[in-house]
Amino acid sequence: MEPREIQYVQQSFAGVFARKADLAERFYVHLFTRLPAARAMFRGNFVKQKMMLTAMIASCVRNLDDPHRLEEIGTRLSREHAHLDLGPRETEAAKRALIAALRDVLGEELDPATEFAWASAISRVAGAMPRH
């Protein structure tokens, strides 16, 4: 990622974080629309799951300029999700769901350059996740 892209993501994140509950809700709506079978992967306290999602996004945004730390986050995420046996289809659905949720939450604030930067950031994090 270019430094300017990191800046776009980090600057727009204030608006995202202010509406983090909406972001998490919209993410799962979009994910389950794209991948209905994913709904079965989520059991238990879904409120906690949404909080974990937004905390993970915040951590990734804070560390976009630290490739080593981002790789550590990716490794941890991979380990935590290994039991789900996620493949490229699920990863792509999640990436698209997050972009769609960002569009919902940020509206016009998500200009093309900022959306491109978010897509780059999401791909960077997904790429940091080792495959099991």
Side-chain angles (χ1 to χ4, degrees), residues 4-19:
R4 185 74 178 140
E5 292 173 322
I6 293 171
Q7 186 179 15
Y8 281 137
V9 171
Q10 291 177 336
Q11 286 177 342
S12 66
F13 188 65
V16 172
F17 197 74
R19 297 187 55 203

Side-chain angles (χ1 to χ4, degrees), residues 85-104:
D85 195 31
L86 303 176
R89 180 172 174 250
E90 292 82 7
T91 301
E92 187 61 30
K95 287 165 46 176
R96 290 178 183 270
L98 185 51
I99 289 293
L102 286 163
R103 284 186 198 124
D104 292 347

Side-chain angles (χ1 to χ4, degrees), residues 41-42 48-49 52-53 55-57 59-60 69 72-86 129-130 132:
M41 295 178 190
F42 298 94
K48 182 179 177 184
Q49 179 64 37
M52 290 181 348
L53 171 71
M56 181 274 305
I57 293 169
S59 180
C60 289
R69 180 69 182 120
E72 290 173 354
I73 293 167
T75 299
R76 188 186 77 227
L77 284 170
S78 184
R79 218 177 296 125
E80 290 171 356
H81 291 85
H83 70 284
L84 298 173
D85 195 31
L86 303 176
M129 293 176 65
H132 292 281

